[in-house]
Amino acid sequence: MIKVVIIGGGNVATHLANAFSKANDVSLVQVYARNIKQIEHLKDVTSITNSIELLKEADVYIIAVSDDAISLVSSTIENKNSLVVHTSGSVTIQSLQNAGRKGIFYLLQSFSKDKEVNFDEIPFCLEAENEQDSTLLETLAKTIGKKIYHINSEQRKRLHVAAVFVNNFTNHMYKIGADICDEHQVPFEILYPLIQETAEKITKLNPEAAQTGPAKRNDQKTIQNHLALLNSEQQEIYKLITKSIQQNGKKL
């Protein structure tokens, strides 16, 4: 049994706690959050606390807090025999300030508390300072998931930037599309099949090969017609992305 303590009450911490509480080879010893109300729903499956001084002994402490809080929180963990890891995509392993062993347990996915996730489909990006701890993290990840990658801090920082483009920025494009639909009384759900097809297509084609649209075709008449329909902020974004698509197309 791998004894685990989770530190945090947000989306990642909540999903990890729920998953580990059901894992056969993991003992979820405790969950900590400053706001005890965030983790009250877990009191039936494990011990909960809002006092960092009352953390229980564990093999692995998983810090799932905001990036800015990782260093401070890790410095409070005094057990030098335990492995302390964080779940951030953009914070280095050196940011951990505990006196003992250090590692990374980064899940490459966007989490929402009220939406179930399939951990079998989530990439686990792991890093540790030695082979023994790397093996421990892989064993822990495999209790709830299947897609395991050993990624160092420099690779992970760049992977996180890539994830912002394909997830956060893409979602903002959905927001703009939804705004345009709402403004003109068109149901946004009409675009669902297109969104799904776009996501499915890049699992079979390189994104560059999958690119279509007026920017790719350099259809200036359509581009100008589109710009006339947009507000100034939308126009700026449209022009920037159109220019980027066309400049990348010239590299072919």
Side-chain angles (χ1 to χ4, degrees):
M1 279 286 194
I2 302 174
K3 295 181 179 179
V4 173
V5 167
I6 295 176
I7 299 173
N11 295 341
V12 175
T14 298
H15 282 290
L16 281 176
N18 286 328
F20 282 135
S21 70
K22 301 169 186 174
N24 292 329
D25 297 320
V26 174
S27 174
L28 180 61
V29 176
Q30 188 181 46
V31 177
Y32 159 87
R34 286 188 303 173
N35 182 355
I36 199 72
K37 291 183 179 179
Q38 288 184 298
I39 55 175
E40 278 186 340
H41 65 285
L42 296 169
K43 63 184 179 182
D44 292 333
V45 296
T46 190
S47 170
I48 63 172
T49 183
N50 62 350
S51 175
I52 200 75
E53 292 79 14
L54 296 180
L55 289 183
K56 295 188 176 184
E57 294 291 316
D59 299 311
V60 181
Y61 292 87
I62 300 177
I63 299 175
V65 300
S66 66
D67 290 357
D68 291 342
I70 288 172
S71 291
L72 178 60
V73 172
S74 63
S75 70
T76 66
I77 301 175
E78 299 177 351
N79 190 339
K80 295 182 180 180
N81 295 320
S82 298
L83 177 59
V84 176
V85 302
H86 70 66
T87 60
S88 171
S90 59
V91 177
T92 66
I93 194 170
Q94 288 79 19
S95 296
L96 290 165
Q97 297 300 306
N98 58 299
R101 296 143 56 201
K102 301 173 177 66
I104 309 294
F105 199 78
Y106 172 50
L107 285 69
L108 184 55
Q109 185 53 273
S110 175
F111 292 92
S112 299
K113 276 189 178 179
D114 297 328
K115 187 178 185 302
E116 290 188 17
V117 297
N118 180 2
F119 277 93
D120 286 347
E121 296 299 323
I122 295 176
F124 287 74
C125 300
L126 311 177
E127 182 181 2
E129 295 178 311
N130 57 67
E131 187 174 344
Q132 183 178 356
D133 286 339
S134 181
T135 300
L136 174 59
L137 288 182
E138 182 170 336
T139 301
L140 180 61
K142 285 181 177 178
T143 65
I144 58 174
K146 295 179 179 179
K147 297 185 177 182
I148 314 299
Y149 299 86
H150 292 277
I151 305 288
N152 66 40
S153 286
E154 287 304 311
Q155 291 172 319
R156 181 167 37 81
K157 285 192 295 184
R158 285 157 177 78
L159 182 62
H160 190 257
V161 172
V164 168
F165 273 92
V166 303
N167 175 242
N168 305 131
F169 289 175
T170 298
N171 189 74
H172 186 62
M173 296 299 137
Y174 297 157
K175 167 67 165 55
I176 293 173
D179 289 343
I180 294 170
C181 287
D182 290 345
E183 183 180 353
H184 298 281
Q185 294 80 50
V186 178
F188 181 60
E189 65 188 43
I190 289 177
L191 294 174
Y192 288 175
L194 178 61
I195 292 170
Q196 291 170 348
E197 170 64 17
T198 303
E200 176 66 22
K201 187 185 293 184
I202 61 164
T203 67
K204 299 177 174 61
L205 292 175
N206 181 287
E208 187 172 304
Q211 185 69 57
T212 62
K216 174 73 173 180
R217 298 188 299 269
N218 195 28
D219 188 342
Q220 287 299 320
K221 184 175 181 179
T222 299
I223 290 171
Q224 294 306 315
N225 286 339
H226 284 173
L227 289 171
L229 299 172
L230 303 174
N231 63 39
S232 58
E233 181 180 352
Q234 293 166 349
Q235 286 177 348
E236 185 176 353
I237 295 170
Y238 188 103
K239 288 178 181 178
L240 183 63
I241 295 175
T242 294
K243 181 179 179 181
S244 180
I245 291 171
Q246 291 176 336
Q247 287 180 334
N248 276 275
K250 291 177 182 177
K251 298 176 183 178
L252 295 176

